[in-house]
Each structure stands twice: as structure tokens, then as C-alpha cells.
Amino acid sequence: MANVWQRLQRWVQKRLTLIKGIFLLSVLLLVIRELGRIGHEISGEQLRVALGNLDFSTCLLLAVVGFIAVLPMLIYDFTIVEFLPGKFSLGYIIRSGWVTNTFTNLAGMGGLLGASLRANFYSAAATKKQVLYAISKIALFLLAGLSLACWVALAMIFGWHIGTPYQGYWFWLLGGGLYFPVLFAFTRLTDNEFFRDLTWARELRLIVGSSLEWGSCALFFLLIGWTLRFPLDFAAVFPMFVVASVAGVISMIPGGLGSFDVFMIFGLGLLGVSRADAVGWLLLYRLFYYLLPFCVGVGLFVHDAGHRLNRFFSGLPVTLLRRGAHWFVVTFMYFSGVMMLLYATIPDVVLANRLYMQLIPFMFYFLSQVTNLIMAFLLIGLARGVRAKVARAFWPTLIVLVLAIGNTLWRENFPGGLALLLGAVLVCLLLAKPELSRQSFHYSWGGLLTDGSIYAVTFVLYAILGLVARSPHRGPLVLQAWLPTSTQVWLNGLGGLLIALIILLAIRHYLSATQAAWLTTPFDAQRVRHLILKYGGNEVSHLAFLRDKTTFFYQEDGEDQLLFLFRQKADKLLIMGEPIGNQEKLLPALQTLMRTADAAGLRPVFYEISEDLTLRLHEMGFDFIKVGEEGHVDLPSFSLTGKPRRGERALVNKFKREGYQFELLQPPFSVAQYQELQAISDSWLGDETEKSFSMGFFDRDYLGEAPIAVMTDFHGKMVAFANLMPTGDHQVISIDLMRSSHDAPSGSMDGLFVYLFLTCRDQGYTSFNLGMAPLANVGVSEFSFVEERLAHLIYEYGSTFYSFQGLRAYKDKYVTTWQPKYLAYRRRESLVFTMLQLMQVINRPGVAAKARFLPQWLNRWLVDEVNWQNR
């Protein structure tokens, strides 16, 4: 007999899946058959009558209580985390518990889905085995509350004679009721390691949680019947609810869908409830207890899944979503603003245009011409702020959009598609809010050109059309549709345009009201000297003492590490040369500068930088263009001996014969020396102005920072000078200003160079920086960028404006090596505007000095050199 039992047991285990499938299919067929029969007996009109007693307040009450009825299931999740290592926040447990329980409500109590979801939520801090064990313990108690409810229902039927029509279901209740005592005995009497951490407190908590879950579920079902005002004893419904729930569990159909409903429809029928009323009751129960909480669960699940996906892809999905929303809002605001502008200025023309009439349903609409004009430029002005990602633009934009949307939708018969579109605009603005993080607004030249053109063209065209309309001599070619309908309308439009201009200026002032303090940091010469002394400088470090550029210091632990020299122009942060200081901190310094500049609404541009820095910046989203080459003279190998230097030897000998002497003056300089230097500079400049930024200008404080090389005649009078630019490392040196008076002999600049090379060589310097040869070797390849090839044409044929080739040829006499220099600018920025802004900054006169004009002094320098060689 035992052998037969074992064989039967093995046979059942092998075919357990098939048996379950057959059982589930049978139940499904039975339920479908019964639901079909019930559906034939119920009409839609009967169902509408059954639900006709519900008003908005009742639906709101049911929705709120339905959500409350789901809450007890969270006790399972608060207990699960006690079995697992790691800590979970309160919000995380609530979110994950809500998702799991609302999903399992529809997909079966517990089961594979519930286990999978909990494993997904809690596996980050625990192993799969630990999660599986915790879920298994919880799953045992999911039906404990229903089992206790079975005993309550039996007591009601046979003890208090409540719900006696359901006495025939006693075996369902008894079978369900036996689950709890068996479970309790199994967990408390079994000496199994699996239940060792299932303490009395935890087990009691699970039993109470399960009881609250099933109890709140039943009470909510009874509340729905009470709101429908059915004349029956609701206490008598409770036993049938328990029976139907047991049937739903046994059927294994997700959520007991169908099986529970069939039992309840028949059971309620025994109490005199019509089938239409019972179906309406069940529909409300499914809607408010299952469907609505499930929708919230779906939202939380999508949020969690999106968060995981975003984290997996290093934040890229959220970034793309926000940027897409940001682009959509800006595009729509410009689109609607321009459409409203056209409608307000030339309505007869645009309303006759087929394309315009197809687009007009998707724009804002105001009744008066003036309000349309004002709102149009409000949208355009704020769109510029939103496009620039200025934080101060968010709330004004939100208010304007809400007002415009409210006014537009207030009209009768507005298209439904417009409501969805405008709702999407608001949602996208909210999604794009994290993108609006910049402190201030700086108009780019491109943005100013676009918005200014829109306003200027509108104003000029509208004014001309109004004047033409009033003229009695207008020609027959002028179309009437383009002209204002009356003088009053035209004047109203002009007034609206003037108000719009004031609004645009006010918006710009509002957006740019907050300015970053670091943009106006006072120059601290001692701080700059300390940094150069500690870490060494470079070819631009001495230019800091011109005080025409602002300094940005990168610090770590309160210590200055790197220094950037910059000047602001429009929305550009024009950075001169390489950063100065500790080059080991270059990458974090660049990142800090980028973030700081971005927060201020500025775009960095790096001018005259090396290949290494250019490649680093290219990895950070910069494009680049070569702007020329920098020449360096190898001082240890420089000598006047040999045939190649016979011209320089002759020049030096000539100066000696004529009594000219070279001298290196050390600071501080006397008043008399400054006066002599000033006289030479004034003679050199004539009526021209100085440049700044990338080169020095005559300034007493600046010249007093380093030695000055001078050439004096046989009377000891200065006739030429050049100020040195030390780099702080005693390896590389350069000069900035090279000026001579009209009394200086021909070739004096070459003489200064030769003497400087020899003197600096003797002082231990290894390299002399002769500075830039602009556009040299730029765009020489047929595969170069178009911009670089255009620059090469300027280099070849632009000698009328600037002696590019002459400067390169002159320096090539001394240069040992040429190093390329680049301009790096943010990708998708206009190179034309960037170059124009850079030229404007360079050509701006220096502080407290007359500025110089580069072509004239360069050409004079080259003429001097040619004249000397001809001699």
C-alpha cells in the first residue's frame, strides 16, 4: 500500500503543472460561461440606473477610502525588511510596497509576480536567497486574515443567524478557516531553522496585517453598497464576501476576477439584489479598490524603473528628456509668439493663408490687437530666457503660460487637440525646470540679432504700412489686405509695439539682475605673485598685471592652485592663454570653471592655447581652430659667430661705433625714466590707439613689474625700449612692448632682440618666446576645416590690412621651433561671432593708456628691418 502511495505521489508531482493548468482552465471556462449568461440578462440601461445615485462627492469618498483600504498591505513590506540586511528608507518601503501589493491585487494574492517584484525592490542590499526566504515567510501569512474571517463568518451564520441564506457554503468557510490553525501550529511547533527568526512579535504583526487587509477590503465593499443605498442588511453580506474571496483564491485566477464576481452576484441575489445592481456594485469595487490604486502603482513602478534605467545609463535618459522638454517649450513659445505677432499686425493677409489657418488652432489667442502684441513679445522675451536656461525665467514663464492657456481655453468650441498640446507645454516646462539652473542672463549676439530683428522688422514694416495707408498717393500695386483697416487700429498697434519694447527691456533687466560676484573680483597683485612664485608662470602670466582682465582662482583646501585670466563680452567668457599655476590640478580646475561659468550663463572661449589643452577641451565639448604659431628661440645655441649671423654681428658693431648702448633697467623706475619711456611710446604711437587683452599697453604699474631693456644713444638718451615678460620659472622669457622713437636708428628693434638673446642666455634662460605669428600654417591642407582654409586665404592675400607673412618671415630669422596655438570655443557656437567678439576685446583701448594700432607698428617694424638690411 505504501508503495502504491509513493508511486501515486511521484506521478502527481511530475504532472503537477498540467493538473494546475487543467484546473485553472476549467474554472475559467465555468466563470466565462456564467459571466456570459449574466451579461445577457443585464442591459446597459439597467447598469446606468444602478449607478445613477453616485455624485462627485461620493466618488471622491470612495476613491479616498479605496486607497486607505489598500494601506494595511504595507505591513507585509515593513516586516520583510526586518528579515533582510541593510537599511531601507520609509519612503522607499512605502513606494515599493504599494507597487507590489497593487500589482498582486490584480495578478493574484502573492504568487510569482509578488515574489518577483519584492526581489527586484529589495535585492540591492541582500542576496537572492535571503530575499527568497523573507518573501516565503511573508507569503505564508497572506491568507491568515481571510482564514480568521472564515471563522467570523461561521460564527455569524450559525451563532448569531446573520447571513443564514449562505449556510450551504459552510464547507467553503470551514476549509478556509482551517488554514490559520494549521499555519499557526506549523510555524510555532515545528523546530525548523527556516522559522527561527520568525519571532512572536513578527508573527503577530503579520497576522494583524493580514486581518486588517481582508477586514478593510470587506468593509470597503460594504461601504460601496451603502453609498448605492441598497435596502438590505449589510452585515449579512459579509459571510458571502468571505465565501467569494475563498473561491477567488482557490480559482487561482488573478485577483479572483470572475470567480469572486460570479459568487457575489449569486450571493447578493439571495438577499434580493438585482443582477444589474450587483454588477454595478462590483464594478465600483474593482475600480476604486483595484484599478485606481493599481494606476498609482504603475506610476510609481515606472518612476522606479526609470530611475534605475537612468542610473544605469549614467543619467543620460533624464538629461535627454529634460533637454527635449526644454527644446519643445522654447520652440512653442517662439512659434506662438510669432503667430500672434502676424495675426496682430497683418490679420487680413495671414487669415487668407492656407498654411497659417492650419497652424492657428495650435497657438494662443487673445481678442484685442494690443493684448496679442504684448503677449507675443512676452512669449518671445521669456523664451529667450528659457532657452538660456535662466532660473529666474521659470515662474514668469509659468504664469504667462497659465494665463495664456486659460484665456485660450476659455473660448467656446476650442479644439481638444489644443487642450492636450497646451497641457503638454506645461508638463514640459515642469520637466525642464531642473535645466533652468543659471543665475543670470547674458544676451548672445545671435539671440540679440534674432529678437532684435523680429521687433525691428515688425515695427518698421507696420509703421510703413500705416503711413502708406494714410497716403492719398499710394500706388495700385499696394495690396489692401496688407494695410491697417483704420488709423485707430494702426495707432493702437504702434502703441502696443512700444509697450512690447518696454516689456522686452524689462524682461532683459529682470533676467540679468543677478550677476555673479566673481565676474567683478578686484585684482590682487600679491595673490598673483604668490601663485607664480610657488608654481611658476607661463607666456601669459605677466599679462595679469595689466589689470585689464579679471582673475578666476581655482582653490583646494583654501589654497590657490590655478589662475585663469578672462574678460567678459556678451555671453562669452574670453580666457587668455593657458591657466597659470599647478598644472596637476588642471582637470578639476577646468571642470570648476565650466560649472561656474555655466551657472552664470556664460560660455568659455580659450584663446592662444596649446595642443594639449585643446585636446582636453575637445573632450569637454569644445570645437577648435588653429589661430597661428608661436615662435621660440633656443638661447643656449644662439651665437653671433658664423656666417648665418653676420648681419647681426654687423648691426651690433654699427651700434657700438655710433655710441649706442644696451642696458637692462631694473624696477623700481624713477620718474625721469618713466617720462623718457612715455615720450618714446607717444612718439611710436602717434595718433593711433593701443590694444589690450592679448598684448600689453603702456601703463606705469604694468611696466614696473619687470625689467625693461633700453637702447640709449651716445648722449645717454633712450631711443628704444622693450619690457620683459618673465614666466616665473627662469627657463622661458619674452617681451611685450617694443617701441622706438623717431630718433632711433634703423634696425634698433633687431639690435634690442640680439642684445636680449645674449643677455638672457647669459642669465641662464633656455628659451626666448617671440610671440605669435597669426594664421601661420593655418588651413594649408586641402582637408582642413573650411574656417581654417578661409583663414589661410586671409594669410595669403590680407597683407593690405596686416602683414601676416612679413611677421612670420621676420621672426623666422631667429625662431628655432614653432608651436601651434588654437582657439577653443563651445560646440555649436558661432565662430564668426566669437572671432568678432575677440577682436573687439583685443582692440579695446587699455586702461589709463592710449591704445596702439597693430598694422602700423608692425609695418614700421618691418620697414626698419628692410632698410637696415639694404644698408
Side-chain angles (χ1 to χ4, degrees), residues 225-518:
W226 178 78
T227 58
L228 292 173
R229 303 175 185 175
F230 293 145
L232 63 140
D233 181 12
F234 290 103
V237 180
F238 179 77
M240 190 61 225
F241 179 87
V242 177
V243 171
S245 297
V246 172
V249 171
I250 294 175
S251 70
M252 294 185 293
I253 299 175
L257 185 63
S259 54
F260 171 86
D261 304 84
V262 169
F263 268 79
M264 285 306 305
I265 290 172
F266 283 118
L268 291 173
L270 296 177
L271 297 179
V273 179
S274 68
R275 291 191 171 180
D277 290 339
V279 169
W281 191 342
L282 288 166
L283 285 176
L284 292 176
Y285 174 64
R286 292 290 183 187
L287 173 65
F288 291 110
Y289 184 75
Y290 286 91
L291 190 57
L292 291 184
F294 172 75
C295 291
V296 174
V298 169
L300 294 175
F301 179 77
V302 170
H303 176 270
D304 179 77
H307 180 72
R308 290 167 181 259
L309 183 68
N310 183 62
R311 187 170 54 193
F312 178 80
F313 286 104
S314 303
L316 185 60
V318 168
T319 300
L320 292 176
L321 177 64
R322 288 174 178 172
R323 290 184 179 178
H326 174 256
W327 174 87
F328 176 72
V329 171
V330 172
T331 303
F332 178 80
M333 291 175 69
Y334 264 107
F335 162 78
S336 193
V338 172
M339 293 283 284
M340 294 171 67
L341 196 58
L342 292 172
Y343 181 76
T345 52
I346 46 174
D348 293 339
V349 175
V350 296
L351 292 178
N353 185 280
R354 185 175 302 174
L355 176 61
Y356 185 89
M357 293 305 296
Q358 291 177 347
L359 296 176
I360 198 172
F362 303 102
M363 74 174 212
F364 296 127
Y365 179 80
F366 286 79
L367 293 177
S368 78
Q369 179 191 26
V370 174
T371 52
N372 271 297
L373 283 170
I374 293 174
M375 185 56 64
F377 282 106
L378 265 175
L379 289 171
I380 292 172
L382 289 173
R384 179 59 56 184
V386 174
R387 188 180 187 281
K389 302 181 180 180
V390 182
R392 290 170 66 88
F394 175 76
W395 286 109
T397 302
L398 182 63
I399 293 171
V400 168
L401 286 178
V402 168
L403 290 176
I405 289 172
N407 183 81
T408 303
L409 298 185
W410 190 258
R411 296 179 298 153
E412 296 182 0
N413 302 321
F414 63 84
L418 175 61
L420 293 177
L421 175 66
L422 298 181
V425 171
L426 280 182
V427 171
C428 286
L429 179 62
L430 295 174
L431 286 174
K433 188 177 186 299
E435 288 286 302
L436 309 183
S437 58
R438 291 171 179 159
Q439 302 169 358
S440 184
F441 173 73
H442 302 275
Y443 239 127
S444 67
W445 281 10
L448 187 60
L449 180 63
T450 300
D451 297 348
S453 298
I454 291 175
Y455 185 86
V457 170
T458 302
F459 187 87
V460 172
L461 179 63
Y462 191 73
I464 291 174
L465 291 177
L467 293 174
V468 170
R470 300 182 63 188
S471 173
H473 305 294
R474 66 172 182 265
L477 297 179
V478 179
L479 298 178
Q480 186 64 35
W482 284 82
L483 303 179
T485 55
S486 67
T487 302
Q488 183 63 39
V489 171
W490 180 62
L491 291 176
N492 286 341
L494 281 180
L497 286 172
L498 292 174
I499 295 173
L501 177 61
I502 296 173
I503 289 174
L504 285 175
L505 295 175
I507 290 174
R508 180 181 180 181
H509 177 75
Y510 168 76
L511 294 178
S512 59
T514 304
Q515 293 291 340
W518 59 273

Side-chain angles (χ1 to χ4, degrees), residues 686-749:
D687 296 329
E688 305 300 340
T689 55
E690 300 238 26
K691 294 184 183 295
S692 62
F693 188 65
S694 62
M695 58 192 72
F697 47 83
F698 193 94
D699 178 75
R700 182 165 181 170
D701 292 332
Y702 172 59
L703 293 175
E705 291 289 338
I708 297 179
V710 298
M711 184 80 74
T712 60
D713 61 14
F714 59 94
H715 296 298
K717 178 184 176 183
M718 296 182 194
V719 294
F721 75 89
N723 69 309
L724 270 62
M725 297 178 64
T727 59
D729 58 1
H730 208 75
Q731 298 293 317
V732 181
I733 194 165
S734 181
I735 60 170
D736 188 12
L737 304 184
M738 284 194 68
R739 299 188 175 177
S740 61
S741 66
H742 291 299
D743 300 331
S746 177
S748 57
M749 293 301 179

Side-chain angles (χ1 to χ4, degrees), residues 487-806:
T487 302
Q488 183 63 39
V489 171
W490 180 62
L491 291 176
N492 286 341
L494 281 180
L497 286 172
L498 292 174
I499 295 173
L501 177 61
I502 296 173
I503 289 174
L504 285 175
L505 295 175
I507 290 174
R508 180 181 180 181
H509 177 75
Y510 168 76
L511 294 178
S512 59
T514 304
Q515 293 291 340
W518 59 273
L519 291 172
T520 55
T521 303
F523 181 75
D524 189 341
Q526 190 59 37
R527 191 177 178 185
V528 175
R529 291 191 192 99
H530 177 74
L531 183 69
I532 295 174
L533 182 64
K534 184 175 181 179
Y535 295 110
N538 57 26
E539 64 271 17
V540 301
S541 56
H542 195 69
L543 291 176
F545 298 102
L546 281 168
R547 294 170 171 80
D548 67 332
K549 291 173 280 292
T550 309
T551 54
F552 178 88
F553 286 91
Y554 169 72
Q555 294 184 320
E556 284 189 4
D557 300 324
E559 293 289 333
D560 292 334
Q561 301 292 328
L562 276 171
L563 165 65
F564 296 86
L565 302 176
F566 71 88
R567 191 185 293 178
Q568 181 192 344
K569 185 65 180 179
D571 65 329
K572 302 296 192 304
L573 199 70
L574 302 173
I575 300 166
M576 181 59 217
E578 306 270 330
I580 306 159
N582 186 3
Q583 299 303 315
E584 294 181 359
K585 303 296 182 180
L586 179 60
L587 184 58
L590 286 173
Q591 292 173 336
T592 301
L593 176 68
M594 301 300 178
R595 296 190 189 101
T596 307
D598 185 72
L602 295 169
R603 294 171 173 82
V605 175
F606 292 81
Y607 178 57
E608 289 190 14
I609 58 175
S610 64
E611 284 184 343
D612 290 341
L613 182 56
T614 301
L615 292 177
R616 280 181 179 267
L617 292 171
H618 186 65
E619 294 176 355
M620 301 174 74
F622 281 74
D623 275 337
F624 59 90
I625 182 173
K626 187 177 179 182
V627 291
E629 294 182 332
E630 187 177 73
H632 288 259
V633 180
D634 182 52
L635 292 180
S637 63
F638 182 81
S639 173
L640 292 180
T641 60
K643 185 177 179 180
R645 297 299 179 190
R646 65 177 182 272
E648 286 75 14
R649 287 198 307 273
L651 179 64
V652 171
N653 292 331
K654 169 200 166 188
F655 285 149
K656 288 180 179 179
R657 287 193 306 269
E658 295 179 359
Y660 288 93
Q661 294 186 358
F662 171 84
E663 185 179 356
L664 200 60
L665 303 179
Q666 300 292 333
F669 307 115
S670 66
V671 174
Q673 288 173 324
Y674 273 120
Q675 289 176 347
E676 284 195 79
L677 295 173
Q678 180 76 65
I680 294 172
S681 180
D682 291 343
S683 175
W684 174 269
L685 289 170
D687 296 329
E688 305 300 340
T689 55
E690 300 238 26
K691 294 184 183 295
S692 62
F693 188 65
S694 62
M695 58 192 72
F697 47 83
F698 193 94
D699 178 75
R700 182 165 181 170
D701 292 332
Y702 172 59
L703 293 175
E705 291 289 338
I708 297 179
V710 298
M711 184 80 74
T712 60
D713 61 14
F714 59 94
H715 296 298
K717 178 184 176 183
M718 296 182 194
V719 294
F721 75 89
N723 69 309
L724 270 62
M725 297 178 64
T727 59
D729 58 1
H730 208 75
Q731 298 293 317
V732 181
I733 194 165
S734 181
I735 60 170
D736 188 12
L737 304 184
M738 284 194 68
R739 299 188 175 177
S740 61
S741 66
H742 291 299
D743 300 331
S746 177
S748 57
M749 293 301 179
D750 284 272
L752 271 176
F753 269 132
V754 171
Y755 280 120
L756 278 170
F757 294 159
L758 295 173
T759 302
C760 293
R761 182 197 65 184
D762 295 340
Q763 291 180 352
Y765 288 95
T766 59
S767 179
F768 195 100
N769 185 349
L770 276 180
M772 282 277 292
L775 304 185
N777 285 326
V778 176
V780 294
S781 171
E782 60 180 310
F783 303 107
S784 298
F785 297 141
V786 174
E787 296 89 346
E788 291 182 330
R789 297 185 69 182
L790 289 174
H792 181 68
L793 292 178
I794 297 173
Y795 179 81
E796 289 286 343
Y797 305 110
S799 57
T800 304
F801 308 100
Y802 192 102
S803 187
F804 296 101
Q805 297 185 57

